[in-house]
Amino acid sequence: MSQTYEDLSSSQKRLVESDEQFQNIMAGPGSGKTQGLNFVKLHKQTFKFKYHFLQVLIDRIAFLINHKNIEPEKIKVLSFTRETVFSIKERLKERLERRIAIDVDVGTFHAHARQLVYQFGYSIGIPQTFKIADKGTRACDVLKECEYARDSIKAVLVDESQDCTDLMKEFIHQMSDGKMLTMVGDKNQRIFGSLLSEPSEILNLPEGSDCTLVENYRSTKFIIKSALHVINQGRMRVSQPAEIRNPDGVRVTIATPLNESSQAKYVVNEIQRICTNSGGLIAHQDCAILIRKRSTSHFFESALKKRFIPFEIVGADSFFKRMEIRDLTHYLKFSLNPTYLGFLNIVNSPEREIGDCQIRQIYELSREYNEHSFLDIITLIGNEVIGDFVPMARLKIKHIANICRDVLVKFNNKEPVSVILNFIISATEYETYISSLPDSIRRREYLAELRSLAANSSVLADERNEDSSSELERFIKYFDENNVDSNNGEKGKRVTISTIHCAKGIEWPCVFIVSCNEGCIPLSINRSLEEERRLLYVAMTRSRFFLYIIAPLYRSMGLQQPSQFLTDLPASLCTVGKPILNDELWKMLADTLDNTMSTQRKRSHSLVDE
């Protein structure tokens, strides 16, 4: 077990070894010295983590145990996500003896609250059957009224404190009353709309509790200066880190492709260009595509699949595997090619309570009357010509048949895909259906994106240049091609597609911020312009070296303006089009990544930039 802190900077060491009871550490992006890349397997998903801010937090815990003689089990570490909790626990096992590390009480806010109520709630009359939704307020009651609960805590450490809700801040206040408290956060990375005032104000921390980590270990000078320019155009005023430990780097790349499809092609081309020419310095897993709206991932999913580039999606689902997308495209496919298997995909979407016995009877009738198409079969059933069905079932089957026949008529009349799709949504009352399901807001978001794609399906025609196929057939083919599971590479070696919110706390050498237009960044429905500005600041500071900000000229709503946050970005900080790749750039990249060109680059000395 190491008890020294030689890897820390002077400012980090000062904060770790502080005797102050309260510390509110302002830690900007990349200011906690990051070490190593972890792949954490949790709930059958793989999460990629950098140890953002955790260096100081971990060493502070070690200091409290080793030098302040605080029992590990009485140190409470609070974080927002289970993934970060897992990372902290793993780091503690590296930093301390295992038997000591596993005793440190690390958990999410919810886990700590639940544990307190279960362990001590009985002493103040809280039944074991309390509602889980009440655990936050109940936990505060326990801490107020139960001395045993308070005595179980001697030190509290909080990660990402800027995103605490009022209830979380009250919980921290009750936990840390008379204890040692260390909070680590950055007010300029508040992107969840929950914080109305500073943690130090809510917790009534004494003057002098605020302290700052002044170094930046992550990004190049061009990235830091560009991000500061963006954030300083708003009400926030952020000073430049006292020391940026990396080279100048390459200027931020601003690109304005024609549309969202061209944007995806541009991103994939740049990923291939950089990975191919970097000689091993940059691989697929070092690249991230950051999206503002989770429903817009499909452009990049499709473009990456075409180039056989493996990818993973964080903070969103694959667009093509969403229930809403598959349900509605199945209606289109069945109408043009009615089969029994196709019927199974739509018969209870939305739910119609047509049971297995009735479906089996439909199948038997299709074999008996095999001279008819399957659409004819369900039409005959609906019209009471064949089969033995109860009236309600016949009515429902007839409704499906009528919808699909109307779709076929519209197809033959060459009506636009958007008209046909909207007809299906209306005829099936699909919007009402998904509004009754859990997570209805997200479902409606994906439905809106599908409608937008249908309204702009000419983009797909331009991609394929298949004049012989109809607009609807190209639309269906687009979904068929992208809904196929393929070998998506080894875990941990994939390009990341992530929402900006879920990218918080993670870093990559190469980052693409896409659709940086008005209406997207800032999002038109978000009333907090400053929160949207902070969101772009967070996105920009995820990058270590290559940073692309892309604003298509046209999106689904028509001609689009670049984000107002990019206004007046100095020409000295950015370049247009794409960066020039040369030996000087690769040397700066190697210095930034703490690699050496001689061992990492397997490439010709004279590089021809593509």
Side-chain angles (χ1 to χ4, degrees):
M1 176 180 64
S2 172
Q3 296 190 21
T4 63
Y5 308 96
E6 295 175 357
D7 293 336
L8 299 178
S9 68
S10 57
S11 61
Q12 289 175 326
K13 187 175 180 181
R14 185 175 64 254
L15 296 176
V16 165
E17 298 180 342
S18 172
D19 291 324
E20 295 293 332
Q21 182 179 359
F22 301 112
Q23 287 190 99
N24 185 29
I25 301 173
M26 300 293 107
S31 57
K33 195 174 192 305
T34 57
Q35 296 182 352
L37 185 63
N38 263 357
F39 294 94
V40 182
K41 191 167 185 182
L42 184 64
H43 295 291
K44 299 183 180 179
Q45 297 186 50
T46 301
F47 298 89
K48 182 161 59 175
F49 280 89
K50 288 287 184 178
Y51 291 129
H52 182 56
F53 294 167
L54 297 186
Q55 181 74 21
V56 169
L57 205 63
I58 296 298
D59 283 327
R60 178 65 175 170
I61 295 168
F63 176 79
L64 293 175
I65 294 172
N66 297 330
H67 297 280
K68 292 297 181 181
N69 298 318
I70 297 178
E71 302 97 313
E73 65 274 12
K74 293 190 176 183
I75 296 176
K76 310 296 179 182
V77 186
L78 287 73
S79 186
F80 279 83
T81 67
R82 290 172 294 177
E83 298 81 44
T84 306
V85 167
F86 187 96
S87 295
I88 294 173
K89 288 181 177 180
E90 291 302 301
R91 286 294 301 277
L92 284 172
K93 291 175 186 176
E94 297 170 6
R95 187 69 178 82
L96 301 166
E97 292 181 12
R98 183 180 179 86
R99 64 180 179 82
I100 296 175
I102 61 177
D103 284 341
V104 178
D105 194 357
V106 185
T108 62
F109 282 85
H110 298 289
H112 277 291
R114 185 175 59 248
Q115 179 182 338
L116 279 168
V117 176
Y118 275 127
Q119 192 171 354
F120 300 104
Y122 70 92
S123 64
I124 64 168
I126 298 176
Q128 290 294 308
T129 56
F130 72 95
K131 293 181 180 179
I132 295 296
D134 296 334
K135 60 182 176 291
T137 53
R138 293 286 192 163
C140 290
D141 293 338
V142 167
L143 289 166
K144 289 177 185 176
E145 301 179 32
C146 180
E147 183 178 353
Y148 293 110
R150 294 192 298 273
D151 288 345
S152 69
I153 304 168
K154 284 192 176 179
V156 178
L157 298 96
V158 183
D159 184 37
E160 302 283 11
S161 59
Q162 76 279 351
D163 286 319
C164 291
T165 64
D166 286 341
L167 180 57
M168 289 176 178
K169 286 176 280 190
E170 173 64 19
F171 185 51
I172 296 169
H173 176 69
Q174 296 298 333
M175 286 189 82
S176 62
D177 189 19
K179 322 294 182 183
M180 298 195 78
L181 173 63
T182 301
M183 298 189 298
V184 184
D186 178 10
K187 62 183 179 181
N188 299 304
Q189 296 189 63
R190 296 179 299 183
I191 58 174
F192 293 103
S194 59
L195 191 62
L196 302 177
S197 54
E198 299 299 327
S200 55
E201 296 172 5
I202 294 293
L203 300 174
N204 298 317
L205 297 184
E207 289 188 15
S209 299
D210 291 350
C211 39
T212 305
L213 288 174
V214 296
E215 299 95 345
N216 183 284
Y217 296 89
R218 174 187 296 159
S219 304
T220 62
K221 293 177 182 177
F222 276 125
I223 291 174
I224 294 298
K225 290 177 180 178
S226 300
L228 289 173
H229 175 84
V230 167
I231 199 70
N232 284 333
Q233 298 306 304
R235 294 198 299 268
M236 295 289 183
R237 289 293 181 269
V238 184
S239 59
Q240 182 168 317
E243 186 175 357
I244 301 175
R245 296 295 182 96
N246 289 317
D248 287 347
V250 61
R251 288 178 173 84
V252 175
T253 300
I254 306 295
T256 54
L258 178 63
N259 53 37
E260 289 170 297
S261 179
S262 301
Q263 173 181 240
K265 289 180 185 177
Y266 170 86
V267 169
V268 172
N269 287 340
E270 283 299 282
I271 289 174
Q272 283 195 315
R273 187 171 76 103
I274 290 173
C275 291
T276 300
N277 289 292
S278 71
L281 285 173
I282 299 288
H284 289 147
Q285 66 266 26
D286 299 314
C287 302
I289 303 167
L290 302 188
I291 56 178
R292 176 63 180 92
K293 297 172 65 177
R294 55 203 163 201
S295 59
T296 57
S297 66
H298 61 90
F299 290 107
F300 306 100
E301 293 181 58
S302 178
L304 289 165
K305 281 186 177 182
K306 282 180 185 159
R307 299 291 185 89
F308 303 101
I309 297 176
F311 64 91
E312 61 185 347
I313 304 175
V314 178
D317 303 306
S318 170
F319 181 84
F320 301 99
K321 295 188 181 302
R322 289 287 304 188
M323 181 196 82
E324 306 81 30
I325 308 306
R326 298 179 75 167
D327 282 353
L328 293 167
T329 53
H330 281 149
Y331 272 96
L332 295 173
K333 290 162 66 175
F334 179 78
S335 300
L336 270 60
N337 182 28
T339 65
Y340 172 68
L341 291 179
F343 179 72
L344 291 180
N345 289 325
I346 68 171
V347 61
N348 282 308
S349 298
E351 180 59 50
R352 295 185 176 91
E353 298 181 347
I354 296 177
D356 292 343
C357 291
Q358 294 166 323
I359 293 173
R360 178 68 183 177
Q361 187 180 353
I362 294 171
Y363 173 69
E364 295 296 342
L365 289 169
S366 70
R367 297 189 63 179
E368 181 180 349
Y369 298 92
N370 57 15
E371 70 275 13
H372 296 280
S373 74
F374 202 88
L375 183 54
D376 289 337
I377 295 296
I378 61 173
T379 301
L380 292 171
I381 293 171
N383 291 334
E384 302 183 26
V385 176
I386 59 175
D388 181 21
F389 294 84
V390 297
M392 184 58 70
R394 283 192 188 275
L395 188 62
K396 292 174 180 178
I397 294 168
K398 183 177 182 178
H399 183 57
I400 295 173
N402 289 342
I403 291 173
C404 295
R405 286 199 174 280
D406 287 343
V407 168
L408 197 55
V409 169
K410 292 177 183 296
F411 168 70
N412 291 329
N413 291 338
K414 298 183 178 180
E415 295 191 32
V417 175
S418 57
V419 172
I420 297 173
L421 180 68
N422 284 323
F423 165 75
I424 294 172
I425 293 170
S426 175
T428 58
E429 299 182 353
Y430 198 81
E431 205 155 7
T432 302
Y433 167 62
I434 62 173
S435 296
S436 67
L437 299 177
D439 204 11
S440 60
I441 294 176
R442 178 177 295 198
R443 295 180 189 279
R444 287 197 295 270
E445 180 184 321
Y446 279 94
L447 182 59
E449 183 64 26
L450 180 63
R451 278 174 154 155
S452 173
L453 187 58
N456 295 274
S457 58
S458 58
V459 173
L460 306 181
D462 294 338
E463 271 189 13
R464 291 174 170 75
N465 193 27
E466 295 174 353
D467 296 332
S468 60
S469 59
S470 69
E471 181 187 10
L472 181 57
E473 288 169 327
R474 286 191 296 269
F475 189 76
I476 292 172
K477 186 175 181 181
Y478 176 70
F479 287 90
D480 281 345
E481 289 176 346
N482 288 290
N483 197 31
V484 176
D485 287 322
S486 57
N487 181 10
N488 206 15
E490 184 181 341
K491 288 184 178 180
K493 295 186 178 180
R494 304 170 180 169
V495 172
T496 298
I497 303 173
S498 173
T499 61
I500 298 175
H501 284 87
C502 287
K504 193 163 180 287
I506 315 177
E507 62 188 48
W508 296 269
C510 182
V511 169
F512 298 85
I513 305 172
V514 298
S515 298
C516 194
N517 299 86
E518 287 294 301
C520 190
I521 306 175
L523 197 64
S524 57
I525 61 173
N526 196 327
R527 290 173 293 181
S528 175
L529 195 63
E530 290 306 304
E531 183 176 319
E532 291 290 303
R533 186 186 302 278
R534 292 193 296 269
L535 192 65
L536 179 57
Y537 173 74
V538 166
M540 294 175 73
T541 54
R542 299 311 93 200
S543 174
R544 298 196 67 187
F545 194 85
F546 290 105
L547 175 59
Y548 294 77
I549 302 178
I550 309 172
L553 298 176
Y554 290 88
R555 293 180 61 241
S556 57
M557 295 79 73
L559 184 64
Q560 295 287 289
Q561 294 296 320
S563 171
Q564 59 186 280
F565 301 143
L566 302 179
T567 304
D568 300 327
L569 188 64
S572 60
L573 298 177
C574 59
T575 186
V576 177
K578 59 183 181 180
I580 297 174
L581 308 182
N582 54 37
D583 285 331
E584 181 184 359
L585 179 146
W586 298 126
K587 184 178 185 304
M588 286 191 292
L589 174 61
D591 290 342
T592 301
L593 302 180
D594 294 325
N595 292 320
T596 59
M597 293 177 67
S598 58
T599 59
Q600 291 290 334
R601 291 177 58 206
K602 297 177 182 177
R603 54 188 296 278
S604 169
H605 179 70
S606 58
L607 172 71
V608 178
D609 186 32
E610 296 183 352

